[in-house]
Amino acid sequence: MLFDLLKEMSALNSVAGDENEVRDYIIKKLKNTECEIKTDNIGNLLVYKKGKKAFKNKIMLAAHMDEVGFMANYIDSDGYISISPVGGISPAVVMGRQIRFKSGIIGVIGGKPVHLLEGDEKTEQPKISKLYADIGANSREECEIYVNLGDPAYFVSEYFEFGNGFIKGKALDDRFGCAVMLSLLLNENEYNFDLDLHYAFTVQEEVGTRGAAAAVYNVKPDMALVLEATTACDVAGVSGEKKVCVLGGGPVVSFMDRGAVYDRELYDLAFKIAAESGIKCQTKTQIAGGNDAGAIHKAVGGVRTIAVSAPCRYLHSPSCVLSAEDCKQTLALTEKLIVKMAVL
Amino acid sequence: MIESLCKTLCGVPGVSGAEFPASETARLLLSEYMPDAAVDPFGNVTGSLIIDKNLPSILLDAHIDEIGMAVTYIEDEGFLRIGRVGGLDFRVLPAQTVTVWASLSDKPLKGIVCTLPPHVAEDAQKAVKEADVAIDTGYSKEELEKLCLPGDRITVDSEFIKLLSGRISSHSLDDRSGAASILYALGILKGKGHKDLKYNIKVVFTAQEELGGRGAIIAAYNAAPEYAISVDVSYGLQPGTDERKAGKLGKGAMLGISPVLDREMFLSMKRLAEENDIPYQIEVMSRLTGTNADEIGINRGGVRCALLSLPERNMHMPVELLQISDIEAVGKLIALYLEREAV
């Protein structure tokens, strides 16, 4: 079920401020469950699943619904569309691709051909501000029939399995986290938690973990478990600590990143559970990146927070790559961790 | 018809030096007009239509090869290293999905071009260099050694799509669109029953143009024509290019003028276009054209060459872009040219 959910959600288009598609999908999936569902003012989807009893610690799980994408910020008189990234995107993964605008129309992002480059241009990576989408329009008026200023746009990218147990798709950051949460919510028999659980499907993470700030205020948990896809740099030419974490190394439980110092007791607990259950577990070998934990841990008088992530290559590109085994193990660790966290 | 010809031709791999799948597809399409359509040992697709031995012969040329990469090495950690085949644009590679045409595997492999995310990337201003490109296939070294060999070609995946204004975008439109224009011309002539032809027609869809017109040298020698018309893509106006160097999409066939092209043929082409209301534009190149015409012109005792080009945006990227009406203009012009007395 985890992978079916992941595949379906990877195909949905939701950037910060425009999370409707993913939110509506989740609401639809939860239709026949007995959860309390509400959407808060900023667009977070807050789900409460009542357990058999209340436990000592109120726990909130969090994953963000938004992916990195683009916005049309200007249409010139020839019908070319200037785009800006919504979230952090490297210009190298933008040029030479197709993006799909809200209306469904696809534009290609090309540029001055390599043969015509002069001097420094030959080794330069053009900035996103110099790139534009071409839908084949000849004028601004023609373009505006299909694309308006402010329209979001998304990478066009097919989800598929490849190699020996690997998955590629767009938006796996953080549809993976959402898929884990949905798996826990929908799998009645497997995850029939005794405890009450709050699930926050947050918005606007990619533009500053904003939804999480509102979500944590609305839920006021004692503890939070953030589910993410986190950056793995275990690619050719990278060695040692620069890999950050590795695919095949199991779920990533970080002690610190640029947004949060994680709760040490929860961190140790995660590794203890992993060791006892035969789950491979790793930490990040660089202090880098950040996620909703950054907003959550310091809100409402303090929330003890941990993040459990699947290591993911090529983050913030159309081709995020996860290991299927890591995904399964991340779900397994999460389920065991929640149960122990509740009674800490 | 042109759109579907382009889509079919762009849908098969044929990286320089390993053109077979594309050559075979093109041969099949050519065989509808030239029953002797064949693929030579170098990957050139050849065919002929001999009307009358007293007529002069003309060679219609487009190249069938596309740019790409080749596997050069398998790292211990399973990543593939590559060498470029043709003038690849490295700026567009990071995080692209690619297909590795793995010769020992029963089906092609999918791969992703490695890259580092913005959170840790060191120098976002510099484009990746060939030596730093690596492909992630999700396999270990041991697994890969059973699936692929050095030299196996790699292409960047991109869906063939239709845009507004009758434009299409895909990889390999350079120069499968040229081949499509020739097939379209042959279709017109067949439809008219080959009535008014003033030439014996030979066709070649060449191999290895992207490596320096090598297939053309071989094919032109074997075809031994007196005249030739090459069709290739040229620069289409887009931001960053200027009118002086690029043709406009939708404004028709770019007729080439160059010291290495035959001026009489150009003038005849131009007159034909004007007389028949075929949209055209003029492309002036003061030196070599950078196409097969350069090689064909000095074949054997010399060949009189004309060059028709298609204005194309985003050359050598997976999102090359052209307008169908321009391909149509080139095809129509070729068909008309073949029905007019040689100059």
Side-chain angles (χ1 to χ4, degrees):
Chain A
M1 182 189 264
L2 177 66
F3 298 107
D4 292 330
L5 292 169
L6 184 58
K7 181 173 182 171
E8 283 174 4
M9 285 201 278
S10 170
L12 300 174
N13 292 320
S14 284
V15 292
D18 180 56
E19 294 92 346
N20 298 308
E21 260 186 52
V22 175
R23 189 170 43 239
D24 290 344
Y25 172 91
I26 297 170
I27 291 173
K28 193 155 153 235
K29 281 287 187 196
L30 295 175
K31 226 169 53 141
N32 298 320
T33 62
E34 279 162 20
C35 304
E36 273 173 39
I37 305 173
K38 86 174 181 120
T39 303
D40 71 15
N41 283 339
I42 197 176
N44 295 313
L45 189 64
L46 302 172
V47 178
Y48 171 52
K49 183 115 179 266
K50 202 160 166 55
K52 300 198 180 82
K53 45 187 172 169
F55 274 71
K56 180 166 170 246
N57 295 309
K58 185 177 186 188
I59 298 179
M60 180 179 87
L61 303 185
H64 63 93
M65 297 188 285
D66 59 311
E67 67 195 272
V68 295
F70 306 91
M71 195 173 252
N73 66 41
Y74 180 70
I75 300 169
D76 77 6
S77 54
D78 292 320
Y80 294 108
I81 306 160
S82 292
I83 49 169
S84 349
V86 178
I89 303 180
S90 219
V93 307
V94 181
M95 209 177 179
R97 336 264 151 162
Q98 296 173 1
I99 59 174
R100 180 180 277 111
F101 288 90
K102 191 121 179 102
S103 63
I105 200 162
I106 294 180
V108 303
I109 303 175
K112 188 170 171 185
V114 67
H115 321 59
L116 296 179
L117 300 179
E118 289 167 334
D120 282 340
E121 284 178 335
K122 292 187 184 168
T123 50
E124 239 171 44
Q125 185 71 55
K127 295 198 175 80
I128 297 181
S129 56
K130 295 272 187 295
L131 301 178
Y132 53 90
D134 183 350
I135 60 171
N138 292 298
S139 68
R140 177 183 287 129
E141 292 65 42
E142 191 185 348
C143 188
E144 282 173 343
I145 299 170
Y146 303 92
V147 177
N148 294 121
L149 294 180
D151 277 357
Y154 319 91
F155 285 120
V156 170
S157 167
E158 192 204 336
Y159 177 102
F160 58 69
E161 290 165 18
F162 73 108
N164 204 346
F166 293 88
I167 296 165
K168 166 260 179 186
K170 71 160 176 77
L172 299 186
D173 166 15
D174 184 26
R175 303 293 150 76
F176 170 71
C178 295
V180 169
M181 302 212 313
L182 264 179
S183 293
L184 296 174
L185 280 164
L186 294 174
N187 257 329
E188 264 303 326
N189 297 325
E190 223 178 314
Y191 304 116
N192 207 356
F193 292 117
D194 283 346
L195 55 145
D196 295 348
L197 266 183
H198 292 263
Y199 297 77
F201 293 93
T202 64
V203 297
Q204 299 180 32
E205 189 275 346
E206 299 290 4
V207 292
T209 63
R210 298 168 54 80
V216 70
Y217 180 88
N218 287 322
V219 175
K220 293 189 178 52
D222 301 308
M223 294 184 171
L225 197 165
V226 175
L227 288 154
E228 264 282 16
T230 195
T231 190
C233 299
D234 60 330
V235 298
V238 179
S239 58
E241 93 290 1
K242 290 198 160 64
K243 293 186 186 188
V244 184
C245 57
V246 308
L247 264 59
V252 182
V253 180
S254 153
F255 60 89
M256 180 177 171
D257 58 38
R258 291 297 169 202
V261 176
Y262 295 96
D263 185 284
R264 191 71 202 197
E265 197 183 356
L266 294 180
Y267 174 86
D268 290 336
L269 181 61
F271 277 90
K272 179 159 173 282
I273 294 170
E276 284 167 1
S277 325
I279 295 174
K280 263 199 270 194
C281 194
Q282 56 182 320
T283 194
K284 281 165 73 160
T285 56
Q286 274 195 341
I287 299 172
N291 55 54
D292 279 341
I296 292 169
H297 80 284
K298 55 195 196 238
V300 296
V303 178
R304 298 180 64 188
T305 307
I306 190 76
V308 180
S309 310
C312 185
R313 290 177 187 159
Y314 325 122
L315 217 60
H316 290 202
S317 85
S319 312
C320 298
V321 168
L322 298 170
S323 138
E325 194 51 37
D326 289 341
C327 292
K328 288 186 210 156
Q329 298 295 325
T330 304
L331 174 57
L333 179 61
T334 299
E335 176 250 319
K336 293 184 200 305
L337 184 53
I338 292 168
V339 167
K340 289 281 191 320
M341 276 165 75
V343 296
L344 257 190
Chain B
M1 182 207 175
I2 287 177
E3 184 187 330
S4 92
L5 278 174
C6 287
K7 186 169 184 177
T8 302
L9 287 166
C10 290
V12 269
V15 178
S16 309
E19 293 89 349
F20 184 73
S23 298
E24 180 47 33
T25 297
R27 185 203 69 76
L28 200 58
L29 290 167
L30 184 62
S31 66
E32 199 187 320
Y33 310 108
M34 294 178 162
D36 67 350
V39 179
D40 80 9
F42 303 92
N44 292 313
V45 183
T46 61
S48 63
L49 203 58
I50 309 297
I51 309 292
D52 179 328
K53 65 177 169 63
N54 297 314
L55 289 174
S57 61
I58 190 165
L59 178 65
L60 304 178
D61 148 76
H63 69 91
I64 205 67
D65 61 316
E66 64 186 292
I67 54 169
M69 296 176 267
V71 175
T72 53
Y73 185 73
I74 304 174
E75 295 274 8
D76 287 340
E77 286 173 325
F79 297 96
L80 292 176
R81 290 291 181 186
I82 59 96
R84 66 178 173 82
V85 179
L88 203 58
D89 188 340
F90 287 96
R91 300 171 299 164
V92 306
L93 287 184
Q96 288 277 12
T97 306
V98 301
T99 300
V100 180
W101 301 95
S103 47
L104 305 174
S105 168
D106 54 7
K107 58 184 169 87
L109 310 178
K110 286 290 183 205
I112 312 294
V113 180
C114 297
T115 187
L116 295 178
H119 324 66
V120 299
E122 269 160 18
D123 192 357
Q125 325 305 21
K126 290 261 162 268
V128 70
K129 296 207 285 281
E130 182 173 356
D132 297 327
V133 174
I135 312 278
D136 180 356
T137 60
Y139 285 116
S140 68
K141 179 178 178 166
E142 294 65 41
E143 286 164 335
L144 274 173
E145 281 168 344
K146 299 197 187 88
L147 295 169
C148 77
L149 292 171
D152 282 350
R153 299 295 197 266
I154 303 170
T155 50
V156 176
D157 290 357
S158 81
E159 279 296 301
F160 183 100
I161 55 168
K162 208 163 168 189
L163 301 169
L164 301 176
S165 311
R167 292 174 187 164
I168 49 179
S169 174
S170 171
H171 59 83
S172 325
L173 284 171
D174 170 10
D175 181 32
R176 309 269 167 89
S177 58
S181 73
I182 292 173
L183 290 164
Y184 180 66
L186 294 174
I188 293 174
L189 295 172
K190 182 175 177 180
K192 292 161 102 183
H194 300 135
K195 272 195 298 87
D196 296 313
L197 287 173
K198 304 292 189 289
Y199 297 86
N200 291 319
I201 310 172
K202 302 201 177 182
V203 166
V204 65
F205 297 138
T206 68
Q208 299 190 37
E209 185 276 343
E210 299 286 4
L211 301 179
R214 298 177 191 170
I217 297 171
I218 294 167
Y221 185 93
N222 290 326
E226 289 158 67
Y227 301 89
I229 301 175
S230 287
V231 185
D232 207 331
V233 300
S234 185
Y235 309 113
L237 193 64
Q238 62 182 114
T241 64
D242 86 72
E243 270 188 55
R244 286 170 290 184
K245 280 205 177 116
K248 298 188 173 127
L249 265 61
K251 294 296 186 206
M254 293 168 73
L255 310 187
I257 294 180
S258 153
V260 312
L261 295 173
D262 190 285
R263 189 62 68 102
E264 290 303 317
M265 287 178 77
F266 160 81
L267 289 167
S268 179
M269 217 36 112
K270 181 166 175 282
R271 270 194 308 269
L272 258 177
E274 283 161 350
E275 286 163 12
N276 293 278
D277 281 319
I278 307 237
Y280 75 94
Q281 17 190 352
I282 294 178
E283 182 184 16
V284 179
M285 296 156 281
S286 61
R287 46 201 180 138
L288 291 174
T289 66
T291 69
N292 279 339
D294 297 343
E295 299 303 336
I296 296 171
I298 49 170
N299 217 276
R300 288 184 182 249
V303 179
R304 296 177 63 186
C305 293
L307 175 65
L308 297 178
S309 300
L310 294 161
E312 185 194 64
R313 293 179 185 158
N314 314 323
M315 203 183 286
H316 286 196
M317 294 190 198
V319 291
E320 292 182 341
L321 199 164
L322 313 146
Q323 189 158 322
I324 293 175
S325 65
D326 293 331
I327 304 174
E328 198 179 19
V330 167
K332 283 183 172 159
L333 200 48
I334 292 174
L336 285 168
Y337 193 87
L338 266 41
E339 290 174 330
R340 173 160 290 193
E341 290 294 337
V343 292

